[in-house]
Amino acid sequence: MTGPFPETMDYIGHNAPSRIEAEIYDLVVHGEIPDEIAGAWYQSVPDPQYPPLLGTDTYLSGDGMVRMLRFENGHVDFKQRYVRTERWQLERAARRALFGAYRNPFTDDPSVRGKRRGAANTTPIFHGGRLLALKEDSRPWEVDPRSLETIGEWDYEGRLRSETVTAHPRLDPRTGELYFFGYEASGLASRDVAYCVADKNGQLVREDWFQVPYCALMHDFIVTQEHAVFPGFPIVADLERIEAGGPHWAWDPTKESFVGIMPRDGRVEQMRWFRARPCSVFHFVNGFTEGSKVHIDMCVSEVPAFEFMRVAGDLHVPQHEVQGNLVRWTFDLSKPGDTPEEHVLGPAGDFPRIADKDMMVDYDITYYARVDVNFGPPIVSGPVGVGFNTITRLEVKTGKMTDLFVGPNCTAQEHVHIPSRKPGHEGYLMYIVDRHDQNQAEVHIVEAAHLENGPIARILVPMRLRCGVHGNWVPQT
Ligand code: V55
Ligand code: FE
């Protein structure tokens, strides 16, 4: 028998585990789906099979599902399926949790010692003809892009040495190359980072290792047309604490943030190290090189957005008091200094997306999600425990903002940007809207340039969709 899940933020209300693998053909559509929207939208969703072994855990440990909305000839089909990771298979066979705390193998049931813990729950990326489900503590799992059946762990035909691959690779839209890294590349709490490139056919053509100043949570990174940028923020792993069964991560504001910058095609020995104030960044908007300057734009919160990382560092700040901004750091490589200049670009938010054509170059427009408390009290949804209710289009050069409130009693999951083939058209945003009044979901499509007009199409999904993390749009080929 499977007992109840704990009554903590990670498992209550809209965060209640769904555990439903489902397939729905021909969803009901209100409005008009533009013909040029043809392809598949994949999203990764953490959704634990079993109540946590140790009584409680974080949302970030949930077994990965891949969720797919496939747009074909004006029809929309839905499917979501668990990735059959080794972890998932072992727990399935045992009919209970066997793996313990988030990123702490010392808390596992002895029967799974040495087994792969990766939950493949953060980002689905299509590259080199393969759909890979990523999780930053482990290697990718490959999934069939149509059936969503699990093919197996993907290690670049045995060539990858890193034990880990980030859930935030950067695709160069001009070359088709995938730039990525793995941190804790040689094991738990290690300072080794692997810098990797796969060519447009998905072949691993580069893997070079370097060491960071300390083992920080490195969730995302930046690649410009000329540089690779590796930032770390003081959410710190400590091997002794982990071995004692404690949390993997703890906020430690006595440390500074670090940023390593190297020529992207250069040698890792050319890395130049900068330091910056302690703060927390999970997601970068974009970055670009302008002469001797490297700009990185990011969603900053003054302390970690995840409560469990604050508490492990003995910082007790309620969620609604966590402050932040969209910020640009500028590094001048022609100057001797080792700290960036900082400019505020916009109000706090997360899930920043841009058009593919703008990746790695000077750009103007980003779309990101915010919580606007003027529209009503926060609703529990997603890993941080607060669902977004507003999508914002921000012009970073002028500060011009357009907000789209997604509706009363609603939250929005991460949007994707879909480019248009029409000249001068800014493309579309698509996102899941959770209808907390109905325990159902809708998928909304809006014109990216006209958020103020609201959705041009609403696709009804007759079930609750547990909050996913990241997604990507894959046009029909
Ligand atoms: C994040 C998500 C993760 C994770 C670490 O959004 C950081 C940040 C869904 O898994 O393991
Ligand atoms: Fe992320």
Side-chain angles (χ1 to χ4, degrees), residues 44-46 58-62 102-103 119-123 134-137 167-168 183 217-219 249 282-283 306 308-309 350-351 383-384 468-470:
S44 282
V45 192
T58 155
Y59 200 96
L60 305 183
S61 287
Y102 179 67
R103 299 188 73 166
N121 69 6
T122 314
T123 306
L134 304 174
K135 171 75 168 179
E136 67 192 54
D137 66 358
H168 286 280
Y183 73 96
L217 195 165
M218 297 173 69
H219 185 65
W249 297 120
F282 282 89
H283 299 124
F306 291 94
F308 77 93
M309 299 173 189
D350 207 348
F351 287 156
V384 166
V469 187
H470 299 298

Side-chain angles (χ1 to χ4, degrees), residues 195 221-224 226-230 260-264 271:
Y195 171 39
F221 82 137
I222 283 290
V223 180
T224 75
E226 291 169 54
H227 295 96
V229 185
F230 299 91
I261 303 182
M262 60 175 274
R264 82 174 198 183
M271 191 80 71

Side-chain angles (χ1 to χ4, degrees), residues 25 72 122 146 166 210 229 296 314 323 340 364 370 412 460:
Y25 278 103
E72 232 161 32
T122 314
R146 287 201 85 91
T166 177
F210 61 94
V229 185
I296 63 173
D314 211 19
Q323 310 271 314
D364 192 21
R370 301 192 303 118
L460 309 190

Side-chain angles (χ1 to χ4, degrees), residues 440-451:
Q440 296 194 4
E442 296 180 3
V443 177
H444 289 190
I445 300 172
V446 294
E447 299 246 6
H450 300 290
L451 298 193

